[in-house]
């Protein structure tokens, strides 16, 4: 048995997330997020809120890790239907939009 097949056997089947329905339309928004004081942080919920707006897990994971450790993160969210909806989704997860920045090309 080759090393590759042993690793594949050990890792198990690939998993794809299919239950996240992306927002139908929107425009890019750059935001700085941080943890709300005294709030319980729901990292998986925040990741889903960002993935719905077409920011992949690979980009949202390091940002959410920084926030969970007590810092803040600047994200370019590719497709935001409205800043109020994004703010609401993130607030339910224990995050707040600290500030908005100019999106590229605007």
């Amino acid at each position: 048995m080759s090393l590759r097949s042993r690793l594949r056997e050990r890792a198990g089947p690939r998993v794809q997330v299919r239950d996240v329905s992306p927002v139908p339309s929107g425009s890019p928004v750059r935001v700085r997020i941080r943890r709300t004081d005294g709030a319980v942080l729901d990292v998986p919920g925040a990741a889903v809120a960002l993935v719905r707006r077409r920011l992949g897990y690979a980009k949202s994971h390091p940002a959410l890790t920084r926030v969970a450790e007590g810092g803040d993160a600047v994200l370019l969210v590719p497709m935001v239907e409205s800043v109020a909806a994004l703010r609401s989704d993130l607030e339910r997860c224990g995050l707040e939009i600290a500030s908005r920045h100019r999106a590229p090309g605007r």
Side-chain angles (χ1 to χ4, degrees):
M1 183 181 271
S2 70
L3 176 63
R4 185 174 182 167
S5 60
R6 280 186 285 183
L7 289 174
R8 195 175 281 158
E9 179 183 314
R10 189 183 267 178
R14 294 182 73 184
V15 177
Q16 293 183 349
V17 178
R18 296 184 185 195
D19 63 341
V20 177
S21 58
V23 296
S25 64
S27 48
V29 174
R30 188 180 306 260
V31 293
R32 185 168 58 94
I33 59 170
R34 65 178 172 212
R35 190 174 191 164
T36 305
D37 291 333
V40 176
L41 188 59
D42 176 18
V43 174
V48 168
L50 294 171
V51 167
R52 284 191 66 234
R53 289 162 178 92
R54 314 257 169 101
L55 183 70
Y57 285 116
K59 291 182 180 179
S60 64
H61 180 268
L64 292 174
T65 301
R66 272 192 303 266
V67 171
E69 293 172 348
D72 59 351
V74 176
L75 297 169
L76 175 61
V77 186
M79 191 165 291
V80 177
E81 71 281 19
S82 76
V83 176
L86 176 62
R87 178 175 282 123
S88 173
D89 284 354
L90 292 177
E91 285 176 352
R92 276 185 256 142
C93 300
L95 298 172
E96 67 181 352
I97 295 178
S99 61
R100 263 181 79 189
H101 301 274
R102 174 174 282 162
R106 299 209 163 206

